[in-house]
Amino acid sequence: MATIDIQANDLLLVIDVQNDFCPGGSLAVPQGDEVIPIINDLMGKFTHIALTQDWHPPGHSSFASSHEGADAFSTTQMPYGEQTLWPDHCVQESQGADFHPSLITTRADVIIRKGYRRSIDSYSAFFENDKTTPTGLSGYLRERGIERVVCCGLATDFCVRFSAEDARRQGFETVVIEEACRAINMDGSLDAARTAMIEAGIVLS
Ligand code: VGL
Ligand code: ZN
């Protein structure tokens, strides 16, 4: 792993390391569980840690099953723009929504839940997919004096990408530790994510 010099005002942002995104889950990211020992080690190096948890109500609008005749991994038009439709995943209170049992969660200062409003998805830890409804994370980080956000978790090309882009847009220095991420990678989405993140001034480490 390319080493980054970790500072006191860095935050480790651990994105969606939940059962449904790991092998055996309903929206399994290939080799998703491989990030867990890497992230557990990384957590030992940071003073500030936040976890995110994808947290959808049953019948969420991002589920293909909520749209008559729609296939998972197809796209639809929502009032806020194009939305990929997913298999049902991370349903509130389900075992699939739990953090993977091997992930160390005790060191986290805060857990941000997202995607809990039925009519709107939220890939990013900072803003819902309308790009305007905040989760409150950036205010929290600013009040805490955080200057740099170091991202890891699942999936590189969706929730990690959108979280990193928003962190950068919110004025934080932003790093993505690629070895501590895994991608869904549909239709070239991993390459697109890497290109967009580099263009946005995010450091891929
Ligand atoms: C995610 C698709 C749907 C992610 C969450 O964590 O990357 N992807 N919900
Ligand atoms: Zn989701």
Side-chain angles (χ1 to χ4, degrees):
M1 171 165 35
T3 47
I4 59 160
D5 187 20
I6 296 160
Q7 313 283 330
N9 292 338
D10 287 348
L11 171 95
L12 184 67
L13 182 59
V14 180
I15 296 160
D16 295 0
V17 183
Q18 293 167 260
N19 288 322
D20 271 342
F21 295 124
C22 291
S26 64
L27 181 41
V29 178
Q31 283 89 47
D33 56 340
E34 289 179 3
V35 302
I36 297 168
I38 303 169
I39 292 173
N40 285 344
D41 279 355
L42 272 171
M43 284 197 276
K45 303 188 169 100
F46 283 79
T47 311
H48 309 284
I49 299 168
L51 309 180
T52 69
Q53 194 172 20
D54 214 35
W55 192 249
H56 300 307
H60 191 255
S61 59
S62 76
F63 297 168
S65 63
S66 305
H67 302 260
E68 184 87 37
D71 289 329
F73 306 104
S74 65
T75 54
T76 191
Q77 218 35 55
M78 297 286 206
Y80 54 82
E82 192 173 84
Q83 170 72 46
T84 302
L85 295 177
W86 305 104
D88 291 22
H89 65 279
C90 298
V91 174
Q92 294 171 5
E93 298 182 83
S94 70
Q95 196 249 341
D98 287 346
F99 291 113
H100 189 285
S102 302
L103 182 76
I104 297 172
T105 58
T106 49
R107 293 275 335 280
D109 308 332
V110 65
I111 296 172
I112 293 282
R113 287 179 169 159
K114 59 184 182 63
Y116 48 73
R117 266 187 272 274
R118 188 180 306 271
S119 60
I120 182 166
D121 203 4
S122 187
Y123 293 149
S124 163
F126 294 89
F127 290 95
E128 298 187 5
N129 283 9
D130 61 3
K131 305 236 174 244
T132 54
T133 308
T135 64
L137 182 59
S138 72
Y140 173 85
L141 297 186
R142 264 195 278 276
E143 265 197 272
R144 297 281 314 279
I146 299 299
E147 292 173 0
R148 186 167 68 162
V149 175
V150 179
C151 304
C152 59
L154 306 172
T156 323
D157 38 352
F158 289 92
C159 291
V160 175
R161 170 193 174 170
F162 282 77
S163 297
E165 288 179 351
D166 282 347
R168 187 73 204 97
R169 239 191 312 269
Q170 289 294 294
F172 299 102
E173 284 180 64
T174 309
V175 178
V176 170
I177 301 187
E178 289 192 284
E179 196 198 357
C181 301
R182 291 293 181 278
I184 295 173
N185 202 13
M186 47 187 277
D187 306 325
S189 56
L190 177 57
D191 281 348
R194 296 188 78 250
T195 304
M197 289 193 285
I198 291 165
E199 267 171 22
I202 295 160
V203 174
L204 302 187
S205 163

